[in-house]
């Protein structure tokens, strides 16, 4: 069961990997060309690492180039030298006393079988010199048309000044955005997991799991796991809507982000609206980057609170959600009277909705009503770089 649904860890087997056909095609196309490297980027929780984990399996097909693979994670205290020593250990290469981009290029070029080198969690890397040297490495590998490929995995702003110093590497780096998953892709996760666990899931159960996931596969795995555990405990084989409903409080109570939610919404005032306003933010109509204006909060908040509440009455709540004292759960851009907000950590958004259901702040019928009203994304919001850099 725990191998079929893994909310706490990325997928590491192609047999359980779902969706991402377009992104996989982009990566395979890039890796198949000498001199091309890849940058995978997207929100936290969208499945970047899962895709990176199974890339080498896609190249097991006889009609595709054959690669040996190395997968390393960055830590906040890593340097260029420590990253490449970890890569060399994976590839069973000897590292000299120091490693420069040319040293790396020379050793990688000598490999009998080209390497697929995945450097994950690049956003955790704090060493600016290391980022510059990684850019230099991509540049020299590309210029020498080395058959091996580097795949950088991280968030959009983890190395924001790299292009300014190394604009010439843009043509050698295929940037692949990993968006939130579609309902169809999330259903595939449930179907593959159930097949692996020798279970089935009713259509209503699957629909609710995927809708509550808000495009993040983490929540699909989480709700499916708790639902499946209940089925197995009852010696049944089909996940029903009742199982999903019972799984929601478990998902809320056991989630690691619970403390962030409690910090953001705590209040000694019985009539405080922090929980309701944050839930309305989670359900507000958003643009493709996750931004929403204050006005988008009014309609869902009216459903949640049972009365119309205008912006001046909840503006202070929004301001509080920006403050460190409440965990800075919202991020704001724009200027006065034209502010746009989004969740700082996208993982929190579905959690707020699940908590609203578990605590009775909102009913299933009200949730369907609000989600129907929010089906069309808002157009106006600040633009952000749509690239790894």
């Amino acid at each position: 069961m725990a191998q079929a649904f893994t909310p706490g860890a990325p997928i590491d087997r192609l047999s359980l990997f779902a969706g991402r056909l377009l992104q996989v095609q982009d990566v395979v196309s890039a890796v198949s060309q000498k001199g091309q490297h890849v940058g995978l980027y997207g929100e936290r929780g969208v499945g970047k690492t899962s895709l990176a984990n199974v890339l080498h399996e896609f190249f097991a097909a006889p009609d595709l180039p054959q690669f040996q693979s190395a997968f390393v994670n960055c830590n906040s205290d890593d340097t260029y030298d420590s990253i490449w020593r970890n890569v060399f250990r994976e590839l069973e290469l000897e590292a000299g006393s120091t490693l420069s981009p040319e040293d790396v290029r020379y050793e990688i070029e000598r490999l009998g079988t080209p390497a697929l080198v995945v450097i994950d969690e690049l956003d955790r890397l704090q060493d600016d010199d290391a980022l510059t040297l990684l850019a230099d490495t991509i540049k020299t590998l590309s210029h020498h048309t080395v058959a091996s490929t580097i795949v950088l995995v991280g968030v959009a702003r983890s190395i924001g000044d790299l292009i300014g110093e190394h604009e010439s590497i843009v043509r050698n780096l295929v940037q692949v955005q990993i968006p939130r998953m579609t309902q169809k892709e999330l259903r595939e996760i449930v179907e593959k997991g159930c097949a692996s666990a020798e279970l089935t899931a009713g259509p209503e159960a699957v629909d609710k799991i995927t809708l509550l996931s808000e495009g993040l596969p983490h929540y699909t795995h989480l709700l499916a796991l708790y639902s499946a555990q209940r089925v197995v405990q009852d010696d049944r084989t089909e996940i029903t809507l009742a199982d999903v409903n019972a799984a929601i409080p478990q998902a809320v109570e056991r989630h690691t982000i619970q403390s962030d939610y409690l910090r953001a919404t705590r209040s000694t005032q019985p009539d405080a609206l922090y929980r309701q306003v944050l839930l309305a933010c989670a359900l507000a109509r958003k643009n493709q980057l996750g931004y929403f204006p204050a006005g988008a909060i009014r309609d869902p908040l009216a459903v949640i609170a049972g009365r119309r509440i205008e912006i001046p009455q909840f503006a202070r709540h929004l301001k509080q959600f920006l403050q460190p004292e409440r965990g800075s759960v919202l991020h704001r851009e724009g200027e006065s009277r034209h502010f746009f907000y989004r969740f700082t950590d996208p993982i929190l958004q579905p959690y707020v909705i699940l908590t609203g259901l578990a605590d009775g702040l909102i009913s299933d019928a009200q949730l369907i009503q609000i989600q129907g009203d929010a089906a069309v994304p808002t157009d106006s919001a600040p633009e952000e770089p749509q690239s790894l850099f």
Side-chain angles (χ1 to χ4, degrees):
M1 189 69 62
Q3 294 181 344
F5 298 112
T6 57
I11 292 295
D12 58 4
R13 286 185 292 158
L14 185 58
S15 60
L16 292 176
F17 184 77
R20 304 303 191 195
L21 179 59
L22 292 177
Q23 290 76 31
V24 169
Q25 289 174 341
D26 287 342
V27 173
V28 170
S29 176
V31 174
S32 299
Q33 301 177 53
K34 288 185 179 180
Q36 290 289 301
H37 302 273
V38 180
L40 290 178
Y41 70 97
E43 295 177 286
R44 178 188 170 199
V46 294
K48 300 181 299 297
T49 298
S50 291
L51 173 55
N53 267 344
V54 300
L55 279 180
H56 67 281
E57 290 194 58
F58 285 106
F59 290 93
D63 58 334
L64 290 176
Q66 300 302 297
F67 288 90
Q68 55 181 312
S69 63
F71 191 109
V72 298
N73 291 300
C74 291
N75 294 307
S76 58
D77 58 351
D78 264 322
T79 63
Y80 178 82
D81 190 84
S82 66
I83 290 170
W84 280 101
R85 288 185 185 279
N86 289 337
V87 172
F88 277 22
R89 184 168 58 247
E90 292 286 321
L91 297 175
E92 298 182 353
L93 292 174
E94 291 292 332
S97 56
T98 59
L99 288 173
S100 69
E102 282 301 316
D103 294 327
V104 170
R105 191 269 307 166
Y106 178 76
E107 294 297 335
I108 295 294
E109 194 170 27
R110 295 172 61 202
L111 288 169
T113 302
L116 184 65
V117 178
V118 177
I119 302 176
D120 195 12
E121 297 188 90
L122 198 64
D123 49 295
R124 297 187 62 192
L125 190 61
Q126 301 296 314
D127 187 341
D128 290 338
D129 290 339
L131 298 175
T132 299
L133 290 169
L134 277 173
D136 289 342
T137 303
I138 290 173
K139 194 172 181 179
T140 189
L141 289 171
S142 297
H143 284 182
H144 288 83
T145 60
V146 177
S148 296
T149 301
I150 297 176
V151 180
L152 305 176
V153 185
V155 296
R157 297 174 112 172
S158 59
I159 43 178
D161 60 351
L162 185 58
I163 286 181
E165 297 178 4
H166 302 276
E167 293 181 1
S168 59
I169 73 163
V170 174
R171 66 178 181 270
N172 305 122
L173 190 70
V174 176
Q175 298 182 39
V176 180
Q177 183 184 15
I178 309 298
R180 294 197 180 198
M181 299 186 83
T182 65
Q183 295 296 113
K184 181 179 178 182
E185 290 175 321
L186 295 174
R187 288 190 184 98
E188 189 180 342
I189 290 176
V190 179
E191 290 165 0
K192 284 194 171 187
C194 284
S196 176
E198 299 183 349
L199 298 174
T200 60
E204 289 185 334
V206 177
D207 284 346
K208 187 159 190 178
I209 289 173
T210 56
L211 284 170
L212 291 175
S213 297
E214 292 283 311
L216 300 179
H218 164 78
Y219 283 99
T220 304
H221 282 272
L222 184 70
L223 291 170
L225 175 63
Y226 288 138
S227 300
Q229 287 177 343
R230 188 171 188 263
V231 169
V232 172
Q233 288 169 0
D234 291 347
D235 198 25
R236 293 181 285 114
T237 59
E238 183 183 34
I239 296 174
T240 66
L241 183 59
D243 296 315
V244 179
N245 290 334
I248 292 172
Q250 285 184 283
V252 167
E253 293 169 6
R254 300 179 186 181
H255 204 290
T256 56
I257 210 167
Q258 183 184 46
S259 59
D260 293 341
Y261 173 81
L262 294 175
R263 182 182 180 186
T265 58
R266 68 175 183 266
S267 177
T268 57
Q269 303 299 320
D271 57 347
L273 292 174
Y274 287 107
R275 293 191 304 159
Q276 290 85 346
V277 173
L278 193 61
L279 177 57
C281 291
L283 292 168
R285 195 172 69 180
K286 302 171 180 65
N287 78 343
Q288 65 272 23
L289 298 178
Y291 282 99
F292 57 91
I297 299 171
R298 286 178 296 197
D299 287 346
L301 185 57
V303 175
I304 296 163
R307 57 190 172 91
R308 190 72 177 177
I309 301 175
E310 296 301 331
I311 293 175
Q313 296 173 270
F314 61 77
R316 67 181 182 88
H317 297 80
L318 292 178
K319 187 175 182 180
Q320 283 292 307
F321 290 142
L322 304 172
Q323 305 305 315
E325 292 78 13
R326 292 195 178 273
S328 302
V329 292
L330 292 185
H331 169 75
R332 185 178 72 185
E333 291 193 15
E335 53 190 37
S336 182
R337 296 186 181 276
H338 294 91
F339 285 128
F340 290 88
Y341 303 84
R342 70 174 179 180
F343 280 83
T344 305
D345 185 349
I347 292 291
L348 182 60
Q349 182 208 346
Y351 180 85
V352 173
I353 298 173
L354 289 174
T355 302
L357 286 170
D359 291 349
L361 292 177
I362 192 171
S363 67
D364 285 334
Q366 290 172 322
L367 179 61
I368 292 171
Q369 175 188 342
I370 294 171
Q371 287 180 327
D373 293 340
V376 181
T378 184
D379 295 324
S380 55
E383 291 297 325
E384 262 199 9
Q386 285 299 288
S387 68
L388 179 62
F389 305 116

